[in-house]
Amino acid sequence: MDGMKSLSPKCDRLKQLYESCFNKWFAEHYLKGDNSDHCQPLFRIYQECVKQTLLEHRIDWSENGTNLILQRMENNDSSSTGSRFDNLEQCLESFIENSRQLCMVASDFQASSQTVLNQKIQAVLGGLQELSAKHSKFNDIKIPVELLDYVDAGKNPQLYTKDCIEKTLIRNKEVNGKIEQYKKFRACLLNELTDLFPKETIQYRTIREDDPAAGRP
């Protein structure tokens, strides 16, 4: 995140101050259960600077302005124009890799590794910020809770789709079997009623035939 510039050079310093505050707050407060936002004043100052820059470029500021800023920042940081899912996948892969490397450095820490450790911590924090910035783009995506169980168990998520299809086929066979049994029962019942109550059964069949909503007799 340190290498990513703001929309305007005059906002770079404000952006650095806010990110420095955020990183410190995340490590010293948020991870310890303190959710109070200590960096909100700095964010508002930086936001006003960016807002002024947008106005100078004749770009309307709306309630979705934050998404616009983040989109512009991502476009400046990457030349890729892939789909939102491709970008999210790349972001997740990068975050996972940085987290893995951070664990390796921390598990075998030496004094000479301090600089690398700091870089990896910054990379992980930057990844969290980037993921947080992307979440609004996926509000329309609904993920079944059961799918998360597959992921937690280390299974391929595609197995969830396969299992759902197999369960649907089994359930479909069960329902079709019940329908056939009800049809046979109905036919037997009508035959018995015809023998015992022929007149009433004929009237029933006539009513059923005249009623479009009743279906076949």
Side-chain angles (χ1 to χ4, degrees):
M1 296 294 291
D2 292 339
M4 184 184 296
K5 296 184 180 298
S6 182
L7 293 177
S8 172
K10 66 181 181 181
C11 301
D12 285 347
R13 179 57 180 169
L14 295 174
K15 180 176 182 292
Q16 293 173 1
L17 290 174
Y18 168 67
E19 289 183 346
S20 177
C21 178
F22 176 88
N23 293 339
K24 182 177 180 181
W25 164 79
F26 186 87
E28 299 180 3
H29 296 275
Y30 181 78
L31 293 179
K32 297 179 181 180
D34 181 5
N35 295 328
S36 57
D37 193 348
H38 302 281
C39 304
Q40 187 65 20
L42 285 175
F43 174 75
R44 292 187 181 279
I45 296 174
Y46 169 59
Q47 186 182 53
E48 286 299 321
C49 181
V50 174
K51 179 179 178 181
Q52 185 62 36
T53 300
L54 292 174
L55 293 176
E56 291 174 358
H57 288 79
R58 297 182 179 180
I59 300 176
D60 291 335
W61 178 268
S62 65
E63 61 181 0
N64 294 323
T66 303
N67 292 335
L68 176 61
I69 294 172
L70 294 171
Q71 183 178 0
R72 290 283 298 275
M73 291 168 64
E74 289 174 357
N75 290 339
N76 291 336
D77 187 56
S78 174
S79 59
S80 175
T81 57
S83 68
R84 56 176 178 164
F85 294 103
D86 291 335
N87 291 334
L88 178 62
E89 183 178 0
Q90 294 174 4
C91 182
L92 287 171
E93 289 177 350
S94 177
F95 176 76
I96 292 173
E97 179 61 21
N98 285 326
S99 299
R100 185 185 68 83
Q101 293 179 8
L102 175 61
C103 291
M104 293 176 61
V105 174
S107 63
D108 189 22
F109 179 76
Q110 299 177 4
S112 58
S113 304
Q114 184 63 54
T115 301
V116 177
L117 180 64
N118 293 340
Q119 292 175 348
K120 292 305 174 184
I121 292 176
Q122 290 295 324
V124 171
L125 291 174
L128 289 173
Q129 287 180 312
E130 188 174 1
L131 288 172
S132 178
K134 291 178 180 293
H135 85 278
S136 60
K137 300 179 181 179
F138 297 89
N139 290 335
D140 59 323
I141 304 300
K142 306 299 181 183
I143 300 178
V145 178
E146 295 81 359
L147 178 59
L148 301 180
D149 295 334
Y150 281 71
V151 176
D152 291 339
K155 298 180 180 179
N156 189 328
Q158 293 183 355
L159 291 177
Y160 173 77
T161 303
K162 175 177 176 292
D163 291 344
C164 284
I165 294 176
E166 291 178 349
K167 291 178 181 178
T168 301
L169 292 175
I170 294 174
R171 181 59 178 168
N172 186 58
K173 290 181 180 179
E174 293 177 353
V175 173
N176 287 337
K178 291 180 179 180
I179 292 175
E180 290 299 322
Q181 292 300 319
Y182 279 123
K183 286 181 178 179
K184 292 179 180 179
F185 172 75
R186 183 174 179 275
C188 292
L189 182 60
L190 285 176
N191 289 334
E192 293 293 332
L193 290 174
T194 300
D195 294 337
L196 297 175
F197 309 102
K199 183 178 179 180
E200 289 80 359
T201 303
I202 292 175
Q203 291 177 348
Y204 166 76
R205 289 180 179 272
T206 302
I207 294 173
R208 296 285 292 182
E209 290 176 352
D210 293 339
D211 185 2
R216 297 180 61 184

